Amino acid sequence: MELSEEDLRLVNALQISPRISWSDAGEVLGVHATTLAARWERLRAAGAAWTTAHLMGDPKDMCLAMVDIDCEMHLRPHVTSAVARIPEVITVEEAASNRDLTLTVITQDLKQFSTQLLPRLKEIRGLTKYHTALCTRIHTSGYAWRLNVLTKAEQQALRALAGPESANPSAPDAVVVPLPESHLALIPFLARDGRATAAEISRALGRNPATVQRQLGRVLASRMLSFRCEIAQQFSGFPITVQWFANVPAGEHQAAATELRAIRNIRFSASTTGRTNFTMIMWLRSLADVMEMELTIQQRIPGIELVESVVMLNTAKRVGWMLNPDSTATGTVVAPYGELLPAGI
């Protein structure tokens, strides 16, 4: 499968406004709403693109951890599958050096991470060692990554039509509104489809449509979730994932993050605890770009010390979605709060 320019334009539009109506999107893109809906269904069915929502994991409200794992070589597939089945483990990647797997984990707090998540890791056969770095501040997240194939005028029009779920969930002034437990059952539906409607959710849960409409409005405005439109990495034009571990002088993290946001390749940046105090993840066009990007980083952030670069060989799970080896989505989603759903959903 290959993605056309029109496919990429649609994905870019949903990156900016994941829940925009097809009629509004059609007006901006100059395409009939029915055509857009059919095109999106084709992309979804092929696993080439999808919309999702996941817990933001802001350290002010939750615990976001990055866990490096070593495992017995012949049991690596078993370990990968086992950790990916844990809902709190939102991303699982196979690394090329110094660790076998790297996990991104979100729990309610540090206590849940320590008393519930870590014991589950220790029970996995073949997992021999883990090392944890805790996130102390998120600077940039994957929801903000863009294909940038639309004109500036089209992007501006889409931002004007975007709902509250499109607001920057990690903005310094963002306030997360805690949700009642009755609202949490909506999260797995939004994880499977970031465009899920109140009518669809109410039918599945057996709840009053008007009640679910109100609950959905609160969830979308809560800043608890990060909404995004994802694309299979092989179709993005940037097939290489690289994570850098670095040290940045105290007090200069925000300035470093601001410089990094000007680099379109950035997918994630955060301040952390551990052997280094800053990490960043980028998608690149080729391995040859690694050295060029390191030079760019050091030119933009003179005080930074790049300690280690890690190329990812494969992504088994990305923000809850299980992926095929070719980076397309399998359709299986393992997300938090799934235990709140009625049996059979």
Side-chain angles (χ1 to χ4, degrees):
M1 180 181 180
E2 292 186 4
L3 268 59
S4 67
E5 184 67 19
E6 291 303 313
D7 291 333
L8 296 176
R9 282 170 55 79
L10 174 55
V11 171
N12 197 174
L14 293 179
Q15 288 178 328
I16 297 168
S17 183
R19 293 179 59 85
I20 191 172
S21 70
W22 294 130
S23 58
D24 285 345
E27 286 195 20
V28 176
L29 299 179
V31 180
H32 195 278
T34 304
T35 302
L36 285 182
R39 180 173 291 139
W40 177 245
E41 200 51 46
R42 177 178 60 85
L43 293 173
R44 280 190 60 192
W50 58 97
T51 55
T52 187
H54 65 89
L55 294 175
M56 183 60 202
D58 193 305
K60 298 192 301 291
D61 309 289
M62 302 177 192
C63 176
L64 173 60
M66 284 158 282
V67 183
D68 291 338
I69 282 179
D70 289 335
C71 51
E72 297 177 28
M73 183 176 296
H74 68 290
L75 290 175
R76 179 184 286 186
H78 166 76
V79 175
T80 302
S81 176
V83 295
R85 289 195 298 270
I86 300 174
E88 291 78 14
V89 177
I90 66 167
T91 297
V92 179
E93 295 179 294
E94 183 180 354
S97 58
N98 293 337
R99 71 275 291 151
D100 291 317
L101 301 173
T102 179
L103 317 180
T104 303
V105 180
I106 296 178
T107 55
Q108 293 177 358
D109 49 34
L110 184 58
K111 180 180 180 181
Q112 183 190 10
F113 177 82
S114 302
T115 63
Q116 297 182 34
L117 190 284
L118 289 183
R120 292 189 67 178
L121 294 183
K122 295 173 184 177
E123 293 172 357
I124 296 174
R125 182 169 60 93
L127 194 159
T128 59
K129 184 180 179 182
Y130 64 85
H131 177 271
T132 301
L134 299 171
C135 177
T136 56
R137 179 167 297 177
I138 298 172
H139 301 293
T140 310
S141 189
Y143 88 96
W145 187 86
R146 302 284 187 262
L147 286 170
N148 285 328
V149 295
L150 297 174
T151 66
K152 290 184 178 179
E154 289 170 332
Q155 294 181 45
Q156 185 175 0
L158 288 163
R159 283 193 291 269
L161 293 166
E165 73 282 353
S166 300
N168 181 356
S170 59
D173 59 347
V175 177
V176 174
V177 179
L179 295 172
E181 185 167 340
S182 60
H183 293 48
L184 299 179
L186 277 64
I187 293 177
F189 291 96
L190 295 170
R192 295 177 195 171
D193 181 3
R195 295 177 56 81
T197 65
E200 293 167 342
I201 297 173
S202 65
R203 283 195 297 270
L205 291 178
R207 295 181 184 178
N208 181 282
T211 299
V212 174
Q213 184 68 58
R214 289 193 299 271
Q215 293 174 340
L216 179 59
R218 291 185 64 180
V219 172
L220 296 179
S222 69
R223 300 279 186 113
M224 184 175 177
L225 299 179
S226 176
F227 285 77
R228 63 170 79 178
C229 176
E230 289 282 10
I231 185 172
Q233 193 170 358
Q234 66 163 316
F235 299 126
S236 70
F238 300 88
I240 306 297
T241 300
V242 182
Q243 180 169 9
W244 281 274
F245 299 90
N247 285 315
V248 173
E252 296 183 18
H253 286 221
Q254 193 60 52
T258 299
E259 291 293 334
L260 287 172
R261 289 191 195 100
I263 303 174
R264 66 164 297 188
N265 307 72
I266 192 75
R267 291 276 300 186
F268 178 81
S269 66
S271 299
T272 65
T273 65
R275 292 172 288 199
T276 54
N277 67 9
F278 199 92
T279 189
M280 62 206 107
I281 298 173
M282 295 190 191
W283 282 7
L284 304 178
R285 293 191 183 278
S286 70
L287 289 172
D289 289 342
V290 176
M291 184 173 293
E292 289 186 20
M293 189 54 66
E294 290 181 349
L295 179 60
T296 298
I297 293 170
Q298 289 179 321
Q299 288 174 338
R300 286 184 172 273
I301 312 170
I304 196 169
E305 176 196 6
L306 297 177
V307 176
E308 182 185 13
S309 60
V310 180
V311 175
M312 302 304 170
L313 301 176
N314 178 58
T315 302
K317 183 181 184 182
R318 190 197 306 162
V319 289
W321 281 68
M322 305 300 297
L323 303 185
N324 293 306
D326 67 355
S327 78
T328 58
T330 66
T332 299
V333 184
V334 182
Y337 299 115
E339 72 278 2
L340 298 178
L341 300 179
I345 294 182

